[in-house]
Amino acid sequence: MLPEADLARIYRSLRLIRRAEEETARIYPSDRIKSPVHLAIGQEAVATGICDPLRPEDVVAPTYRSHALYLAKGGSLRGMMAEMYGKATGVAAGKGGSMHLIDAARHVLGASAVVGTTIPLAVGYALALKREGKGRVAVALFGDGATEEGVFYESLNFASLHRLPVLFVCENNGFAIHTPLAKRWASEKLCDRAAGFGLPTTRIADGDVLAIRESAAGYVEKMRKRESGPAFMECLTYRWREHVGPAEDYDAGYRPHSDLEAWQKTDQVARIGGMLKAEARAKVDAAIEAEIADAVAFAEQSPWPDPKELTADVYA
Ligand SMILES: Cc1ncc(C[n+]2csc(CCOP(=O)(O)OP(=O)(O)O)c2C)c(N)n1
């Protein structure tokens, strides 16, 4: 069993993501949040397990479903909340919304709504980090749908050829919007496809945050020492809410509620929380509630962007 301090840190990350997203879902129907939201409630273990072994100066490349990765890497909660509210104090000055989070100080690259597009950005960054020679690594996190883009395979090949320090992580939640893997993939052996490009691979099927962390830590350590090039992880997980928006969608007919119930039995927030002493857990929970309340108040009290800013930082 991990030392209590490690468990507390991992629990804090899992719980912060869960509660920040639950709060987002609670506020959403009021229309104060102006941006569409792709929630990762249920998927927290992937971002948390991957980011725990990372150093502050390592780089992560998120997707539009990026609250979890952004927060796990230490991104500003105030800046994220204000961004979703469309306020001038948001991380993209209120112009990007939930799908375009960024925190340059925490080395969270800009997210994108276009599926697969941040994978090559992580590879390009890894090339720069290799040349820099300080042992930093880049991580690309993406959904199973992104592996259907040609750029995914180009990225694997280029990174493997040049032995770049990049960890590719597929958060496989089984669906691209409403379409299941069985209707999209001729073979579900995703790790075999990655291995075909010469990458070591690991598949974690049960969402165990500690197993994800251990696997990521092993790969990252070898990359830092230049003992290996890129690596590939497939982490099975489950999106509890609808593809986009705050609600559940088990009445839509594309997946049964029993799947949710099965994943909820191994919920990592509850599991890791249960490994902590009650007092330690209560302390973490209270600190997180205060942090979220502060971020929401910050977003609500922040000013709207000045209309004169409308065309600033916009390419034309
Ligand atoms: C290039 C591109 N094609 C299609 C879309 C429409 N689209 C938005 S989300 C999505 C599903 C992607 O699924 P996945 O990569 O598994 O991520 P998840 O939403 O499950 O996190 C699609 C097809 C898009 N945004 N970009």
Side-chain angles (χ1 to χ4, degrees):
M1 182 123 129
L2 285 177
E4 176 98 8
D6 289 342
L7 287 173
R9 188 184 61 249
I10 293 165
Y11 174 67
R12 192 195 116 74
S13 172
L14 292 167
R15 172 90 183 174
L16 174 67
I17 298 164
R18 171 71 53 88
R19 287 291 304 122
E21 292 217 306
E22 284 176 346
E23 200 54 10
T24 300
R26 187 188 66 76
I27 296 168
Y28 199 82
S30 71
D31 204 30
R32 282 174 292 162
I33 288 177
K34 300 296 180 193
S35 126
V37 290
H38 297 74
L39 301 179
I41 295 176
Q43 303 190 184
E44 301 88 350
V46 185
T48 294
I50 296 294
C51 286
D52 196 63
L54 296 185
R55 297 177 185 161
E57 63 272 23
D58 292 328
V59 174
V60 299
T63 71
Y64 52 84
R65 194 182 302 287
S66 68
H67 302 167
L69 182 64
Y70 172 94
L71 292 174
K73 188 64 175 49
S76 155
L77 182 57
R78 276 185 163 199
M80 172 179 135
M81 217 29 109
E83 187 56 40
M84 292 195 292
Y85 270 71
K87 297 294 184 76
T89 53
V91 290
K95 286 181 183 164
S98 159
M99 291 193 281
H100 301 98
L101 296 183
I102 180 167
D103 191 331
R106 305 294 183 147
H107 299 284
V108 180
L109 300 185
S112 163
V114 187
V115 173
T117 44
T118 51
I119 303 172
L121 297 185
V123 171
Y125 222 102
L127 177 59
L129 296 181
K130 184 178 177 183
R131 289 183 176 174
E132 181 191 59
K134 293 185 180 163
R136 296 162 71 195
V137 304
V139 175
L141 216 86
F142 46 87
D144 42 278
T147 70
E148 289 150 34
E149 295 291 336
V151 75
F152 167 66
Y153 297 97
E154 295 171 48
S155 297
L156 291 183
N157 182 57
F158 187 87
S160 189
L161 176 67
H162 296 284
R163 288 178 59 82
L164 302 182
V166 53
L167 180 61
F168 296 98
V169 182
C170 178
E171 272 188 298
N172 183 352
N173 63 18
F175 293 92
I177 309 184
H178 301 143
T179 312
L181 293 185
K183 288 192 177 164
R184 295 158 33 219
W185 291 2
S187 154
E188 292 203 2
K189 293 185 175 164
L190 177 61
C191 281
D192 287 1
R193 296 206 281 284
F197 289 92
L199 280 79
T201 67
T202 298
R203 183 175 198 258
I204 294 166
D206 60 0
D208 178 346
V209 67
L210 302 181
I212 294 169
R213 173 182 180 269
E214 200 181 318
S215 173
Y219 284 134
V220 164
E221 217 34 59
K222 281 191 178 165
M223 285 184 218
R224 288 197 201 290
K225 294 192 224 147
R226 298 221 176 172
E227 288 172 11
S228 84
F232 182 85
M233 291 175 60
E234 179 188 13
C235 303
L236 268 57
T237 185
Y238 198 73
R239 162 170 60 73
W240 293 9
R241 303 281 173 109
E242 59 192 331
H243 168 71
V244 53
E248 293 193 343
D249 64 352
Y250 297 91
D251 55 359
Y254 74 97
R255 55 181 188 166
H257 198 265
S258 54
D259 284 356
L260 170 69
E261 289 157 25
W263 277 94
Q264 284 181 329
K265 282 192 188 124
T266 60
D267 177 26
Q268 299 295 302
V269 185
R271 175 183 167 228
I272 303 299
M275 292 178 179
L276 297 180
K277 293 196 185 85
E279 218 172 273
R281 181 177 181 171
K283 219 169 133 183
V284 173
D285 289 354
I288 286 172
E289 293 312 311
E291 205 179 317
I292 292 172
D294 167 77
V296 171
F298 175 77
E300 300 206 339
Q301 288 156 19
S302 286
W304 294 107
D306 188 318
K308 284 198 284 246
E309 290 294 308
L310 192 64
T311 53
D313 304 321
V314 175
Y315 181 79

